[in-house]
């Protein structure tokens, strides 16, 4: 088949022109003899920087497929020019077709390398024996080993090698001489090598492979791999693993080779060499000075003599040599090692082993080839040899290097000793060095002469060659198309969600018999809906009407239970609301009495007057109760929505009906206020979500005919809809994890913010509206939320750095002769441009990340209006800032004028040290100045907030002006605050200039480490250091220097961020002390000062009257009674305090002249706690008095004081699933001793954790306890 294929194959195509690399344009010619021997080869693996070393148990890697095609085209011509005619290849994947490697074999032919030695991945199946604890491999026809080897034999068929000839084959597994040599005796019979389990496993694996290639019975056609029968099998043996400290080392090694070559019937250990073509593949690793520490020529000569003793079995061998590209240091042999780029040194180092091999081959005549180990450095090779070792454990078989890494070229680690204390570093065994430059992979040959002969390379001068590893064009187009499609779909979906959510009108079903199923909110929809009614009947006749409240629920068991449940809440809330109306009515009556100057009279109102007052009181309570609902209506009506949601005009009418409720029926006002209170009570924890309550209340009002309807109304409350969200929270509250909910969807956990925002977004059901950040997103969220103060602090540091460059407090080259503050030179001029570039890059990145982050975080709410959801204006603002920052970066970068400051200008700025840019400072810095001006304008415009966000009730400008808070006062207050912050930031700048920055004097990457990565941007001159040479970038000295300097500057940066914290609190303490002294807080609790409450005479009495109005004596009476009720003063002391103000304890009759004992009060004669309280009160009055604007309106007992501004009391609402109405069993329980312990769940005593609360106190029943509380 091979002859037929060779006779009919087409002529080889001419090679493509490659500048500087092809030796000639003539058709390629094969190097050396075409029959394969002697071999002049290179072990070729296209290594890449950072590529991990394959594990023995892993599948083979596709080093010779199209993915590495550009690397093959780069390397093979150089290998051919070095004189090689054969490539020794690592094991390749046996799956798939041979066409995957056709391009590689064609590249070999084009380069003139026509011979190949493939390897079978036998180490994988030895590792499988170790993992599974087997003593021998599985060899049945369907076993992975048998299938894989059969595929390997088929893949090396001559028809699939593309004109390249297989001259031999081998495996990637060798015996471990370090373990076996101590077991070798004087002869095969007196050795214990056969007792070693790893040796036994290795031999069984090798014999199984040999039996498949050379069947013991039958004909050659019965072979699993007939292509392997015609070429020699190379048995690998890593000779460098032999320890020279072993007694009789050379003799034992010769004995092992002899016994391994001798078949079983002649007293040997194996049948691997029964076929005359089988040869040894001996691997050597040479130390730096191998002629002294190793003696390679002598060792090879001894081994060939031993092999020549039995030429019929294993008497021939191939040699593989690895020589490291390191040079000796000045002291010890390995005092300092580095890449030896001197071609004269490397040529001799690589050519000497071949010359020694040639001398031994001519003498012994039994060596058939020389192979270099290996073509390129392997950065993750560690201390490994070219083959995996047959060891006892898989961990030792991997032989990892703990001190090294695949991203570092390990010089001071990952080594082992060979010969007489000769260290080797296998990561430097490559004939060429490899490196990476951005996306390119580069190779640099370490030789300039032909390795197999010594002649110059000619056209192949040593130099670095780089190439891109590009995948197949089809794969690139497919990947790009998929990415573009996904990006388009996601962008379209995002824009559609953002702008047009809810645009489509709901589709109505044509079948009138089919009705929409109302959501059950997590409860079983098979339960019947139960309905209960309660008529609103307050005690006051004027508030009574025909209105009623309806409660529907699937959770309750009967209509009666629904009615009873509703009645308990309605009756309680109705009593509370009536009391508030009565309190407001009393306040209005008191205000009317003060208005007609009857402070001490009590005249009963007429029926008509009382009706008017009741209406007024009800209107005030109605507005106060529903003011949040009115604010919700105005906010929702003010949003421009794409569609859906309530009508804006209807929302505005609802808000107007609440704010202008004069003239509406009192009973209807009472019913509307009561409805909200009942919803809050029934909703339990939904009280924490007022926006959700407002949305449900609006729907109830609409179902009842709206707020304009004055007739009898029924307000229907859906219990499950009201508590929608609580059931979901009860099931799943983790906002970071998705869990399948009763509706069948996998959703994130809800919280009260989601429920509340669902109300303001007018969602029919509760849904997740916000994605909580986790992991790295928390860090991003933090920096995005505080980006403005962080950047302001960075600007402070930037100003400090600018000042520091001319302060002279650092080293001379950095902080001297850089011009004045307004006439920058050298480093200061560079600094202004560099900080502008850095600022533009930071803001462009921040804004881009902000837009993407907000789109992710608020994605569920995009297209809806609620606080915190970005709109189109927000998006345009931040995209504008991002675009301006990016354009500013490009503009400043293209117009930059950067110069380095010479070292000679550290002490002078005259003569040659005059900055050539100083003649045109304005022209050089014009673009930079424009950028900074734009940055200030954009920063102020985008972040200057004059009103709080979404806070209703803030007085408008007209109200503030009428109360004395006009524009000038607000402006003056803002200016004081801004000046205070500027002073604090200036203090931070002083600290940074004088303390923080000088700590890094002379410490930077360029001056300290010689790492000149910033180039002209800093303006510092270049300096020699640990990182000056490119080869030294990953050395310990460079890395430690750069990391130390970076850590120091990181501390300076962190210190500049937190120094404002200390400055702020120091300033707060100082300013607070001054303000406290100004407000006379020094004597705040000084009880030694007398208190004079004589009417119209005493200083404290006048202060009291100015603060609380003409009724200040009644306030004083309440205060004294409070002290007496708390037992802080005695009744007699209370009477004395009241007499000092000219009033009595009961207040019924005025005091006579004899009873008026008005004298100053000495607080030291009263109990300490009461005295301190009174002293604090009168000292506080001084500051309160200074803020009184109008006595008639601002004082508590003033004639025109409005008590309606006093807020209502807080309601106590039960929690979700809390027992509101206890059952009989609960009331009777609690008296037993065991009832005081925690209970087991599900009423199973003794099972599970005791996580339920106790039933009672173990002494009294729960009923007795509740009675005791009332």
């Amino acid at each position: 088949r091979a002859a037929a294929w060779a006779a009919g194959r087409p002529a080889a195509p001419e090679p493509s022109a490659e500048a500087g690399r092809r030796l000639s344009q003539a058709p390629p010619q094969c190097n050396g003899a075409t029959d394969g021997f002697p071999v002049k080869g290179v072990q070729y693996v296209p290594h890449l920087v950072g590529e991990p070393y394959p594990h023995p148990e892993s599948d083979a890697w596709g080093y010779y497929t199209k993915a590495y095609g550009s690397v093959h085209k780069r390397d093979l011509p150089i290998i051919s020019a070095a004189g090689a005619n054969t490539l020794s290849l690592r094991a390749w994947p046996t799956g798939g077709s041979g066409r995957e490697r056709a391009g590689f074999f064609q590249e070999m032919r084009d380069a003139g390398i026509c011979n190949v030695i493939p390897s079978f991945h036998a180490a994988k199946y030895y590792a499988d024996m170790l993992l599974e604890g087997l003593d021998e491999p599985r060899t049945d026809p369907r076993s992975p080993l048998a299938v894989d080897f059969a595929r390997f034999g088929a893949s090396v068929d001559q028809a699939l090698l593309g004109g390249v000839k297989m001259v031999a084959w081998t495996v990637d597994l060798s015996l471990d001489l370090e373990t076996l040599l101590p077991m070798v005796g004087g002869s095969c019979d007196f050795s214990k090598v056969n007792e070693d389990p790893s040796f036994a496993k290795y031999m069984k694996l090798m014999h199984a492979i040999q039996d498949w290639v050379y069947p013991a019975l039958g004909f050659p056609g019965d072979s699993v791999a007939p292509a392997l029968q015609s070429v020699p099998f190379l048995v690998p043996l890593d000779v460098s693993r032999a320890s020279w400290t072993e007694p009789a080392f050379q003799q034992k090694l010769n004995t092992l080779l002899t016994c391994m070559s001798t078949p079983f019937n002649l007293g040997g250990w194996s049948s691997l060499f029964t076929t005359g073509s089988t040869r040894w593949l001996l691997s050597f690793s040479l130390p730096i000075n191998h002629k002294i520490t190793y003696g390679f020529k002598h060792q090879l000569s001894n081994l060939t003599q031993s092999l020549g003793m039995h030429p019929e079995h294993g008497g021939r061998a191939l040699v593989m040599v690895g020589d490291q590209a390191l040079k000796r240091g000045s002291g010890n042999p390995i005092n300092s090692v580095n890449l030896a780029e001197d071609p004269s040194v490397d040529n001799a180092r690589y050519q000497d082993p071949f010359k020694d091999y040639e001398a031994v081959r001519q003498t012994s005549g039994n060596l058939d080839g020389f192979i270099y180990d290996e073509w390129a450095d392997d950065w993750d090779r560690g201390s490994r040899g070219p083959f995996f070792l047959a060891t006892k454990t898989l961990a030792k078989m991997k032989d990892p290097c703990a001190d090294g890494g695949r991203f570092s070229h390990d010089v001071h680690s990952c080594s082992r000793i060979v010969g007489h204390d000769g260290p080797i570093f296998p990561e430097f065994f490559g004939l060429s060095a490899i490196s990476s430059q951005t996306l390119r992979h580069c190779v640099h040959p370490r030789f300039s002469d032909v390795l197999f002969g010594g002649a110059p390379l000619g056209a192949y001068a040593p130099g670095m060659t780089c190439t891109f590893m590009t995948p197949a064009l089809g794969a690139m187009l497919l990947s790009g198309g998929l990415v573009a499609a996904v990006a388009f779909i996601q962008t379209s979906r995002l824009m559609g969600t953002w702008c047009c959510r809810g645009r489509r009108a709901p589709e109505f079903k044509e079948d009138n018999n089919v009705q929409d199923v109302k959501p059950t909110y997590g409860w079983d929809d098979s339960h019947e809906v139960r309905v209960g009614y309660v008529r609103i009947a307050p005690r006051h006749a004027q508030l009574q009407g025909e209105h009623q409240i309806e409660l529907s629920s699937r959770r309750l068991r009967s209509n009666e239970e629904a009615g009873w449940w509703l009645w308990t809440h309605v009756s309680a809330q109705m009593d509370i609301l009536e009391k508030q109306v009565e309190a407001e009515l009393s306040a209005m009556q008191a205000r009317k009495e003060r208005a007609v100057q009857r402070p001490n009279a009590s005249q009963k109102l007429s029926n008509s007057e009382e009706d008017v007052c009741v209406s007024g009181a009800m209107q005030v309570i109605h507005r106060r109760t529903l003011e949040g609902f009115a604010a919700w209506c105005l906010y929702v009506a003010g949003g421009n929505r794409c569609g859906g949601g309530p009508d804006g005009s209807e929302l505005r009418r609802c808000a107007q009906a609440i704010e202008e409720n004069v003239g509406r029926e009192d009973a209807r006002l009472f019913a509307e206020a009561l409805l909200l209170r009942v919803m809050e009570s029934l909703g339990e924890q939904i009280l924490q979500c007022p926006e959700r309550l407002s949305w449900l209340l609006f729907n109830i009002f609409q179902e009842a005919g709206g707020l304009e309807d004055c007739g009898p109304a029924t307000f229907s409350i859906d219990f499950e809809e009201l508590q929608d969200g609580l059931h979901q929270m009860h099931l799943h509250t983790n906002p970071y994890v998705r869990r399948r909910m009763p509706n069948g969807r996998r959703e994130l956990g809800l919280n009260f913010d989601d429920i509340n925002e669902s109300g303001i977004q007018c969602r029919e059901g509760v849904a997740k509206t916000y994605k909580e950040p986790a992991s790295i997103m928390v860090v991003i969220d933090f920096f995005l939320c505080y980006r403005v103060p962080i950047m302001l602090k960075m600007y402070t540091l930037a100003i400090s750095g600018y000042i520091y460059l001319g302060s002279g407090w650092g080293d001379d080259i950095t902080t001297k002769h850089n011009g004045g503050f307004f006439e920058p030179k050298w480093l200061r001029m560079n600094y202004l441009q560099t900080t502008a570039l850095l600022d533009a890059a930071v803001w462009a990145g921040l804004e881009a990340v902000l837009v993407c982050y907000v789109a992710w975080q608020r994605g569920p709410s995009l297209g809806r209006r609620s606080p915190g959801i970005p709109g189109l204006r927000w998006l345009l603002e931040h995209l504008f800032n991002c675009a301006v920052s990016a354009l500013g970066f490009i503009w400043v970068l293209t117009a930059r004028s950067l110069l380095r400051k010479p070292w000679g200008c550290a002490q002078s700025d005259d003569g040659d040290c005059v900055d050539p840019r100083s003649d045109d400072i304005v022209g050089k810095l014009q673009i930079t100045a424009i950028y900074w001006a734009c940055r200030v304008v954009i920063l102020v415009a985008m972040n200057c907030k004059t009103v709080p966000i979404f806070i209703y009730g803030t007085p408008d400008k007209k109200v503030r002006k009428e109360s004395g808070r006009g524009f000038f006062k607000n402006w003056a207050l803002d200016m004081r605050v801004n000046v205070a912050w500027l002073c604090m930031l200036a203090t931070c700048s002083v600290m940074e200039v004088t303390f923080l920055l000088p700590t890094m004097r002379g410490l930077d990457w360029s001056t300290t480490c010689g790492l000149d990565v910033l180039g002209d941007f800093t303006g510092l001159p270049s300096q020699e250091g640990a990182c000056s040479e490119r080869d030294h970038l990953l050395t310990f000295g460079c890395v430690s220097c750069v990391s130390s300097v970076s850590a120091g500057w990181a501390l300076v940066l962190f210190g500049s961020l937190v120094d404002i914290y200390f400055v702020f609190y120091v300033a707060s303490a100082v300013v607070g002390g001054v303000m406290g002294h100004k407000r006379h807080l020094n004597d705040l609790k000084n009880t030694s000062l007398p208190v004079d409450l004589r009417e119209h005479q005493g200083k404290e009495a006048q202060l009291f009257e100015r603060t609380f109005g003409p009724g200040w004596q009644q306030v004083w009476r309440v205060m004294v009674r409070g002290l007496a009720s708390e037992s802080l003063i005695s009744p007699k002391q209370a009477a004395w305090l009241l007499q000092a103000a000219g009033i009595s304890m009961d207040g019924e009759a005025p005091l006579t002249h004899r009873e008026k004992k008005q004298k100053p009060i000495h607080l030291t004669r009263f109990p300490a706690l009461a005295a301190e309280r009174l002293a604090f009160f009168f000292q506080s009055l001084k500051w309160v008095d200074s803020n009184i604007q109008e006595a008639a309106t601002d004082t508590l007992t003033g004639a025109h004081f409005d008590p309606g501004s006093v807020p209502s009391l807080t309601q106590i609402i039960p929690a979700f699933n809390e027992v509101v109405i206890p059952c009989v069993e609960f009331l009777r329980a609690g008296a037993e001793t065991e009832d005081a312990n925690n209970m087991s769940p599900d009423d199973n005593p003794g099972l599970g954790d005791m996580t339920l609360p106790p039933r009672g106190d173990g002494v009294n029943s729960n009923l007795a306890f509740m009675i005791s509380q009332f």
Side-chain angles (χ1 to χ4, degrees), residues 801-808 811-832 899-902 905-906 908-909 913 915 917 921 1018-1020:
Y802 184 76
I803 297 173
Y804 175 72
L805 290 178
S807 64
D811 56 336
D812 294 342
I813 191 66
T814 305
T815 60
K816 288 185 178 181
H817 305 293
N818 290 320
F821 190 86
F822 297 104
E823 295 182 355
K825 299 178 183 179
W826 293 121
L827 300 189
R828 274 187 166 179
M829 189 173 290
N830 284 27
Y831 183 81
L832 291 174
L899 289 178
R900 290 178 182 261
K901 185 179 180 181
C905 299
S908 174
D909 55 0
C913 292
D915 191 345
R917 301 169 297 178
I921 295 178
T1018 60
L1020 290 172

Side-chain angles (χ1 to χ4, degrees), residues 581-899:
V581 173
E582 292 172 357
E584 184 66 25
L585 180 62
S586 302
M588 294 182 67
Q589 181 178 359
R591 183 173 61 181
K592 184 176 181 180
E593 291 175 354
R594 288 198 301 273
V596 297
Q597 300 298 323
R598 292 181 298 176
N600 296 324
S602 178
Q603 182 178 351
K604 186 177 181 181
L605 298 176
S606 63
N607 292 335
S608 60
E609 290 178 339
E610 184 176 0
D611 291 343
V612 172
C613 288
V614 170
S615 297
M618 189 64 247
Q619 292 165 8
V620 171
I621 295 298
H622 180 263
R623 285 195 298 269
R624 188 183 305 159
T625 305
L626 296 177
E627 62 181 350
F629 173 71
W632 175 87
C633 291
L634 293 176
Y635 179 81
V636 175
N640 295 322
R641 303 173 57 84
C642 293
D647 181 55
S649 58
E650 182 63 29
L651 289 167
R652 293 186 185 91
R653 284 195 295 270
C654 289
Q656 185 178 7
I658 293 170
E659 295 175 354
E660 302 175 4
N661 57 6
V662 178
R664 298 184 61 196
E665 182 186 4
D666 296 336
R668 179 58 183 260
L669 298 181
F670 185 86
E672 292 172 0
L674 179 62
L675 174 62
L676 179 59
R677 294 291 179 85
V678 172
M679 290 177 63
E680 293 171 348
S681 180
L682 286 171
E684 300 176 2
Q685 296 296 3
I686 294 296
L687 179 64
Q688 314 297 330
C689 311
E691 315 298 345
R692 173 69 178 171
L693 284 173
S694 297
W695 165 241
L696 298 177
L697 182 63
F698 174 79
N699 292 333
I700 294 175
F701 283 155
Q702 294 303 108
E703 292 179 2
L707 297 184
E708 292 81 7
D709 191 358
C710 297
T714 299
F715 304 104
S716 300
I717 302 175
D718 189 325
F719 197 19
E720 281 71 39
E721 183 180 14
L722 178 62
Q723 293 192 351
D724 185 17
L726 297 184
H727 182 68
Q728 294 91 312
M729 289 181 64
H730 185 68
L731 296 176
H732 178 39
T733 57
N734 191 341
Y736 307 105
V737 178
R738 291 186 179 273
R739 181 179 297 175
R740 190 172 300 279
M741 301 300 289
N743 59 7
R745 300 176 182 175
R746 296 183 62 85
E747 299 176 350
L748 299 173
L750 285 176
N751 52 37
F752 287 117
D753 290 331
D754 297 315
I755 301 175
N756 188 64
E757 203 164 28
S758 296
I760 203 169
Q761 295 176 7
C762 303
R763 295 177 182 260
E764 292 299 330
V766 171
K768 190 69 180 173
T769 62
Y770 177 91
K771 294 180 181 178
E772 284 77 3
S775 186
I776 189 63
M777 303 300 283
V778 177
V779 180
I780 296 175
D781 186 89
F782 173 82
F783 281 103
L784 291 179
C785 290
Y786 294 96
R787 64 188 183 280
V788 175
I790 289 176
M791 290 304 296
L792 288 176
K793 199 64 194 68
M794 289 296 97
Y795 292 147
T796 305
L797 179 61
I799 295 174
S800 303
Y802 184 76
I803 297 173
Y804 175 72
L805 290 178
S807 64
W809 291 340
D811 56 336
D812 294 342
I813 191 66
T814 305
T815 60
K816 288 185 178 181
H817 305 293
N818 290 320
F821 190 86
F822 297 104
E823 295 182 355
K825 299 178 183 179
W826 293 121
L827 300 189
R828 274 187 166 179
M829 189 173 290
N830 284 27
Y831 183 81
L832 291 174
Q833 301 173 72
T834 303
T835 51
L837 290 172
L838 182 61
D839 178 77
V842 170
W843 273 112
L846 277 177
E847 295 294 351
V849 173
L850 177 65
V851 171
C852 297
Y853 179 79
V854 172
W856 167 81
Q857 188 178 65
R858 302 313 304 259
S861 298
L862 293 180
R864 302 178 183 269
R865 186 172 187 262
S866 63
I869 296 180
L872 183 60
R873 178 180 175 181
W874 181 92
L875 177 63
L876 293 178
E877 284 181 357
H878 290 278
L879 289 180
F880 172 77
N881 191 12
C882 181
V884 169
S885 300
L887 293 176
F889 177 86
I890 297 174
W891 196 18
V892 175
L893 183 65
T894 54
R896 70 187 184 277
S897 177
L898 304 174
L899 289 178

